[in-house]
Amino acid sequence: MNDTKNFVNHIRPRFVPEGALRVLYTFCLGGVSFLAFIVLGVTGLLLMFHYQPGDNAFSSILTISSVIPYGGVIRNLHYWSGQLMVVTVNLHMLRVVWTHSYKPPKQLNWLVGVGLLIFVLFLDFTGYLLIGSQESGAAATVAVNILELIPVIGSGLAQILFGEPSALSGSTLVVYVWHCVALPMVAFLLQLYHFWRVRRDGGVRPL
């Protein structure tokens, strides 16, 4: 019971340091990143009703954008929310470095943040591959070729991460599952832990 109460108090404490409320200190970059993630989740779920991974990926996107009611709006929201999240997460990392917020006792949360940055970049890349265009096919081919240069595990790792994309389409079922299920779930759990660690380590404290 005490552990549950402590967890709730960390998420929603009774008192917050006045300095932690200064917008110009954090610029709300973490909150904006999480908001973009929520928009991505909602719009991505709606897109899943009509998107088809694989060889029909590009044509299904054209159908979503031009035939499905409000499909173009939803797809644009999804796309620009993804770009916004990439920008805000990178700026958030720069802010943490600038304010020395990675120092003890926050070094563990800094590592979690680095992991989240990697997940966000990979989510953005897999989203690009799911377009299913010739350009995304070329990008997938380059990524697979780079991974295959790794001795022993390279080919297996490329198969696990990308499947077998063609040069004309980077969209595969493997990439689709990574982008829509595995990566978002892990990223969501890491974000919850990240927010909890902020409270656990004393909140956001200006120098």
Side-chain angles (χ1 to χ4, degrees):
M1 181 65 181
N2 288 335
D3 291 338
T4 302
K5 184 177 180 181
N6 289 336
F7 179 80
V8 173
N9 287 336
H10 284 309
I11 295 296
R12 188 177 178 82
R14 294 183 180 180
F15 303 99
V16 178
E18 183 178 355
L21 301 177
R22 287 168 48 189
V23 175
L24 295 181
Y25 178 71
T26 64
F27 296 97
C28 298
L29 293 170
V32 173
S33 299
F34 185 68
L35 176 61
F37 182 80
I38 296 300
V39 174
L40 281 167
V42 173
T43 55
L45 180 63
L46 294 174
L47 291 173
M48 289 173 68
F49 283 101
H50 298 282
Y51 177 80
Q52 301 176 33
D55 295 335
N56 295 324
F58 190 70
S59 60
S60 68
I61 287 180
L62 290 179
T63 300
I64 290 171
S65 300
S66 58
V67 177
I68 305 300
Y70 304 105
V73 174
I74 295 172
R75 180 173 179 263
N76 283 328
L77 276 174
H78 190 75
Y79 173 80
W80 287 111
S81 294
Q83 306 317 302
L84 175 65
M85 190 172 185
V86 170
V87 171
T88 54
V89 168
N90 277 279
L91 290 176
H92 180 61
M93 298 295 285
L94 289 175
R95 196 279 301 170
V96 170
V97 173
W98 180 261
T99 57
H100 299 167
S101 297
Y102 55 87
K103 293 183 177 181
K106 299 182 179 181
Q107 62 270 37
L108 175 60
N109 213 21
W110 164 254
L111 294 177
V112 173
V114 172
L116 279 169
L117 174 63
I118 294 172
F119 274 99
V120 168
L121 294 177
F122 195 56
L123 272 165
D124 191 62
F125 182 64
T126 53
Y128 177 70
L129 299 186
L130 288 179
I131 295 174
S133 63
Q134 188 171 351
E135 290 80 6
S136 61
T141 301
V142 171
V144 169
N145 290 338
I146 291 175
L147 287 176
E148 289 179 343
L149 294 176
I150 302 175
V152 184
I153 65 170
S155 296
L157 188 60
Q159 182 70 29
I160 291 172
L161 294 178
F162 299 107
E164 297 181 358
S166 69
L168 297 177
S169 174
S171 177
T172 64
L173 182 60
V174 173
V175 174
Y176 182 69
V177 173
W178 277 115
H179 183 78
C180 298
V181 182
L183 291 174
M185 286 182 61
V186 176
F188 179 69
L189 293 176
L190 281 178
Q191 285 178 89
L192 292 182
Y193 179 76
H194 188 66
F195 297 150
W196 178 75
R197 284 301 309 192
V198 170
R199 297 296 189 190
R200 181 70 176 80
D201 295 333
V204 179
R205 292 174 294 180
L207 298 176

mmCIF file with all atom_site columns, all heavy atoms in Angstrom, residues 148-159:
data_model
loop_
_atom_site.group_PDB
_atom_site.id
_atom_site.type_symbol
_atom_site.label_atom_id
_atom_site.label_alt_id
_atom_site.label_comp_id
_atom_site.label_asym_id
_atom_site.label_entity_id
_atom_site.label_seq_id
_atom_site.pdbx_PDB_ins_code
_atom_site.Cartn_x
_atom_site.Cartn_y
_atom_site.Cartn_z
_atom_site.occupancy
_atom_site.B_iso_or_equiv
_atom_site.pdbx_formal_charge
_atom_site.auth_seq_id
_atom_site.auth_comp_id
_atom_site.auth_asym_id
_atom_site.auth_atom_id
_atom_site.pdbx_PDB_model_num
ATOM 1  N N   . GLU A 1 148 ? 24.142 -5.859  -42.811 1.00 0.00 ? 148 GLU A N   1
ATOM 2  C CA  . GLU A 1 148 ? 24.772 -7.105  -43.255 1.00 0.00 ? 148 GLU A CA  1
ATOM 3  C C   . GLU A 1 148 ? 26.288 -7.031  -43.235 1.00 0.00 ? 148 GLU A C   1
ATOM 4  O O   . GLU A 1 148 ? 26.967 -8.061  -43.322 1.00 0.00 ? 148 GLU A O   1
ATOM 5  C CB  . GLU A 1 148 ? 24.274 -7.482  -44.654 1.00 0.00 ? 148 GLU A CB  1
ATOM 6  C CG  . GLU A 1 148 ? 22.825 -7.959  -44.664 1.00 0.00 ? 148 GLU A CG  1
ATOM 7  C CD  . GLU A 1 148 ? 22.322 -8.310  -46.039 1.00 0.00 ? 148 GLU A CD  1
ATOM 8  O OE1 . GLU A 1 148 ? 22.975 -7.887  -47.034 1.00 0.00 ? 148 GLU A OE1 1
ATOM 9  O OE2 . GLU A 1 148 ? 21.280 -8.988  -46.144 1.00 0.00 ? 148 GLU A OE2 1
ATOM 10 N N   . LEU A 1 149 ? 26.840 -5.829  -43.102 1.00 0.00 ? 149 LEU A N   1
ATOM 11 C CA  . LEU A 1 149 ? 28.288 -5.683  -42.976 1.00 0.00 ? 149 LEU A CA  1
ATOM 12 C C   . LEU A 1 149 ? 28.780 -6.104  -41.587 1.00 0.00 ? 149 LEU A C   1
ATOM 13 O O   . LEU A 1 149 ? 29.980 -6.342  -41.411 1.00 0.00 ? 149 LEU A O   1
ATOM 14 C CB  . LEU A 1 149 ? 28.698 -4.231  -43.248 1.00 0.00 ? 149 LEU A CB  1
ATOM 15 C CG  . LEU A 1 149 ? 28.475 -3.717  -44.677 1.00 0.00 ? 149 LEU A CG  1
ATOM 16 C CD1 . LEU A 1 149 ? 28.832 -2.237  -44.766 1.00 0.00 ? 149 LEU A CD1 1
ATOM 17 C CD2 . LEU A 1 149 ? 29.292 -4.528  -45.676 1.00 0.00 ? 149 LEU A CD2 1
ATOM 18 N N   . ILE A 1 150 ? 27.872 -6.185  -40.622 1.00 0.00 ? 150 ILE A N   1
ATOM 19 C CA  . ILE A 1 150 ? 28.249 -6.608  -39.270 1.00 0.00 ? 150 ILE A CA  1
ATOM 20 C C   . ILE A 1 150 ? 28.564 -8.102  -39.297 1.00 0.00 ? 150 ILE A C   1
ATOM 21 O O   . ILE A 1 150 ? 27.729 -8.902  -39.737 1.00 0.00 ? 150 ILE A O   1
ATOM 22 C CB  . ILE A 1 150 ? 27.113 -6.325  -38.263 1.00 0.00 ? 150 ILE A CB  1
ATOM 23 C CG1 . ILE A 1 150 ? 26.760 -4.841  -38.257 1.00 0.00 ? 150 ILE A CG1 1
ATOM 24 C CG2 . ILE A 1 150 ? 27.517 -6.781  -36.863 1.00 0.00 ? 150 ILE A CG2 1
ATOM 25 C CD1 . ILE A 1 150 ? 25.566 -4.506  -37.379 1.00 0.00 ? 150 ILE A CD1 1
ATOM 26 N N   . PRO A 1 151 ? 29.744 -8.503  -38.843 1.00 0.00 ? 151 PRO A N   1
ATOM 27 C CA  . PRO A 1 151 ? 30.109 -9.927  -38.891 1.00 0.00 ? 151 PRO A CA  1
ATOM 28 C C   . PRO A 1 151 ? 29.170 -10.789 -38.062 1.00 0.00 ? 151 PRO A C   1
ATOM 29 O O   . PRO A 1 151 ? 28.672 -10.370 -37.019 1.00 0.00 ? 151 PRO A O   1
ATOM 30 C CB  . PRO A 1 151 ? 31.534 -9.943  -38.295 1.00 0.00 ? 151 PRO A CB  1
ATOM 31 C CG  . PRO A 1 151 ? 32.031 -8.546  -38.442 1.00 0.00 ? 151 PRO A CG  1
ATOM 32 C CD  . PRO A 1 151 ? 30.823 -7.656  -38.322 1.00 0.00 ? 151 PRO A CD  1
ATOM 33 N N   . VAL A 1 152 ? 28.907 -11.980 -38.530 1.00 0.00 ? 152 VAL A N   1
ATOM 34 C CA  . VAL A 1 152 ? 28.174 -13.049 -37.852 1.00 0.00 ? 152 VAL A CA  1
ATOM 35 C C   . VAL A 1 152 ? 26.676 -12.738 -37.705 1.00 0.00 ? 152 VAL A C   1
ATOM 36 O O   . VAL A 1 152 ? 25.828 -13.479 -38.201 1.00 0.00 ? 152 VAL A O   1
ATOM 37 C CB  . VAL A 1 152 ? 28.777 -13.367 -36.462 1.00 0.00 ? 152 VAL A CB  1
ATOM 38 C CG1 . VAL A 1 152 ? 28.026 -14.553 -35.831 1.00 0.00 ? 152 VAL A CG1 1
ATOM 39 C CG2 . VAL A 1 152 ? 30.259 -13.663 -36.568 1.00 0.00 ? 152 VAL A CG2 1
ATOM 40 N N   . ILE A 1 153 ? 26.342 -11.647 -37.011 1.00 0.00 ? 153 ILE A N   1
ATOM 41 C CA  . ILE A 1 153 ? 24.931 -11.385 -36.674 1.00 0.00 ? 153 ILE A CA  1
ATOM 42 C C   . ILE A 1 153 ? 24.254 -10.434 -37.650 1.00 0.00 ? 153 ILE A C   1
ATOM 43 O O   . ILE A 1 153 ? 23.048 -10.199 -37.544 1.00 0.00 ? 153 ILE A O   1
ATOM 44 C CB  . ILE A 1 153 ? 24.800 -10.821 -35.248 1.00 0.00 ? 153 ILE A CB  1
ATOM 45 C CG1 . ILE A 1 153 ? 25.479 -9.439  -35.157 1.00 0.00 ? 153 ILE A CG1 1
ATOM 46 C CG2 . ILE A 1 153 ? 25.381 -11.783 -34.226 1.00 0.00 ? 153 ILE A CG2 1
ATOM 47 C CD1 . ILE A 1 153 ? 25.192 -8.721  -33.849 1.00 0.00 ? 153 ILE A CD1 1
ATOM 48 N N   . GLY A 1 154 ? 25.006 -9.867  -38.593 1.00 0.00 ? 154 GLY A N   1
ATOM 49 C CA  . GLY A 1 154 ? 24.458 -8.820  -39.452 1.00 0.00 ? 154 GLY A CA  1
ATOM 50 C C   . GLY A 1 154 ? 23.240 -9.243  -40.251 1.00 0.00 ? 154 GLY A C   1
ATOM 51 O O   . GLY A 1 154 ? 22.203 -8.567  -40.235 1.00 0.00 ? 154 GLY A O   1
ATOM 52 N N   . SER A 1 155 ? 23.334 -10.382 -40.936 1.00 0.00 ? 155 SER A N   1
ATOM 53 C CA  . SER A 1 155 ? 22.232 -10.831 -41.794 1.00 0.00 ? 155 SER A CA  1
ATOM 54 C C   . SER A 1 155 ? 20.987 -11.152 -40.974 1.00 0.00 ? 155 SER A C   1
ATOM 55 O O   . SER A 1 155 ? 19.869 -10.800 -41.354 1.00 0.00 ? 155 SER A O   1
ATOM 56 C CB  . SER A 1 155 ? 22.668 -12.052 -42.592 1.00 0.00 ? 155 SER A CB  1
ATOM 57 O OG  . SER A 1 155 ? 23.728 -11.728 -43.468 1.00 0.00 ? 155 SER A OG  1
ATOM 58 N N   . GLY A 1 156 ? 21.191 -11.821 -39.840 1.00 0.00 ? 156 GLY A N   1
ATOM 59 C CA  . GLY A 1 156 ? 20.059 -12.149 -38.976 1.00 0.00 ? 156 GLY A CA  1
ATOM 60 C C   . GLY A 1 156 ? 19.409 -10.912 -38.406 1.00 0.00 ? 156 GLY A C   1
ATOM 61 O O   . GLY A 1 156 ? 18.176 -10.827 -38.322 1.00 0.00 ? 156 GLY A O   1
ATOM 62 N N   . LEU A 1 157 ? 20.222 -9.927  -38.020 1.00 0.00 ? 157 LEU A N   1
ATOM 63 C CA  . LEU A 1 157 ? 19.689 -8.683  -37.469 1.00 0.00 ? 157 LEU A CA  1
ATOM 64 C C   . LEU A 1 157 ? 18.886 -7.919  -38.518 1.00 0.00 ? 157 LEU A C   1
ATOM 65 O O   . LEU A 1 157 ? 17.817 -7.367  -38.217 1.00 0.00 ? 157 LEU A O   1
ATOM 66 C CB  . LEU A 1 157 ? 20.840 -7.823  -36.947 1.00 0.00 ? 157 LEU A CB  1
ATOM 67 C CG  . LEU A 1 157 ? 20.473 -6.563  -36.169 1.00 0.00 ? 157 LEU A CG  1
ATOM 68 C CD1 . LEU A 1 157 ? 19.656 -6.912  -34.936 1.00 0.00 ? 157 LEU A CD1 1
ATOM 69 C CD2 . LEU A 1 157 ? 21.725 -5.791  -35.775 1.00 0.00 ? 157 LEU A CD2 1
ATOM 70 N N   . ALA A 1 158 ? 19.386 -7.901  -39.753 1.00 0.00 ? 158 ALA A N   1
ATOM 71 C CA  . ALA A 1 158 ? 18.664 -7.227  -40.834 1.00 0.00 ? 158 ALA A CA  1
ATOM 72 C C   . ALA A 1 158 ? 17.320 -7.891  -41.099 1.00 0.00 ? 158 ALA A C   1
ATOM 73 O O   . ALA A 1 158 ? 16.315 -7.220  -41.336 1.00 0.00 ? 158 ALA A O   1
ATOM 74 C CB  . ALA A 1 158 ? 19.520 -7.230  -42.105 1.00 0.00 ? 158 ALA A CB  1
ATOM 75 N N   . GLN A 1 159 ? 17.299 -9.228  -41.027 1.00 0.00 ? 159 GLN A N   1
ATOM 76 C CA  . GLN A 1 159 ? 16.054 -9.963  -41.236 1.00 0.00 ? 159 GLN A CA  1
ATOM 77 C C   . GLN A 1 159 ? 15.055 -9.671  -40.137 1.00 0.00 ? 159 GLN A C   1
ATOM 78 O O   . GLN A 1 159 ? 13.849 -9.497  -40.385 1.00 0.00 ? 159 GLN A O   1
ATOM 79 C CB  . GLN A 1 159 ? 16.352 -11.464 -41.292 1.00 0.00 ? 159 GLN A CB  1
ATOM 80 C CG  . GLN A 1 159 ? 15.143 -12.339 -41.547 1.00 0.00 ? 159 GLN A CG  1
ATOM 81 C CD  . GLN A 1 159 ? 14.606 -12.198 -42.970 1.00 0.00 ? 159 GLN A CD  1
ATOM 82 O OE1 . GLN A 1 159 ? 15.356 -11.908 -43.889 1.00 0.00 ? 159 GLN A OE1 1
ATOM 83 N NE2 . GLN A 1 159 ? 13.302 -12.389 -43.142 1.00 0.00 ? 159 GLN A NE2 1
#
